[in-house]
Amino acid sequence: MATLENLDDLATAVSDALGEIGYEPAMAHGELTITVAIEDIVAVLTRLRDSMQTRFVSFIDISGADYPARDKRFDVVYHFLSMYQNHRIRLRVAVREEDMVPSITDVHPSAN
């Protein structure tokens, strides 16, 4: 399997892996960031882990950011590594204060 050469290749591979699941891509700090809906986070991470084009099997970390002026004031931010493709990806989910973010530990047990 050929490795992905650049972020454009990665963006294409992510699009192929996610299929009909909606997301918003952005390039930031030399990494691809995708913003997904809260209800899609588990499906997105499963597809990015299992796709032979992406293979994001290494969970790096999870963090949060607070934007008090926004309706969905919190961002939950996940970072992953594909050792096979030598790429990193950032996933972001915007949530309201009362939202419950689904656990990703069934997809990435190290997130526990």
Side-chain angles (χ1 to χ4, degrees):
M1 158 145 259
T3 59
L4 303 172
E5 294 298 322
N6 59 47
L7 289 179
D8 291 331
D9 291 343
L10 176 59
T12 300
V14 167
S15 178
D16 292 346
L18 297 185
E20 76 287 349
I21 298 175
Y23 68 97
E24 182 180 319
M27 300 292 181
H29 309 292
E31 293 180 0
L32 175 62
T33 298
I34 62 172
T35 301
V36 301
I38 190 172
E39 62 270 11
D40 292 332
I41 190 67
V42 173
V44 166
L45 293 178
T46 300
R47 288 187 183 192
L48 292 178
R49 179 196 65 195
D50 295 347
S51 168
M52 292 304 289
Q53 291 182 295
T54 54
R55 296 184 74 184
F56 284 103
V57 297
S58 296
F59 170 76
I60 303 299
D61 65 14
I62 184 173
S63 61
D66 185 4
Y67 301 93
R70 292 190 337 200
D71 179 46
K72 292 183 178 180
R73 71 179 277 183
F74 298 105
D75 279 355
V76 180
V77 182
Y78 306 85
H79 292 96
F80 296 91
L81 169 67
S82 174
M83 297 178 294
Y84 303 96
Q85 296 294 350
N86 193 29
H87 276 290
R88 295 177 182 270
I89 194 168
R90 179 182 303 109
L91 279 81
R92 186 173 63 184
V93 180
V95 298
R96 292 179 178 86
E97 191 169 348
E98 64 273 6
D99 289 341
M100 293 295 295
V101 178
S103 174
I104 65 165
T105 58
D106 286 344
V107 182
H108 289 281
S110 63
N112 187 359

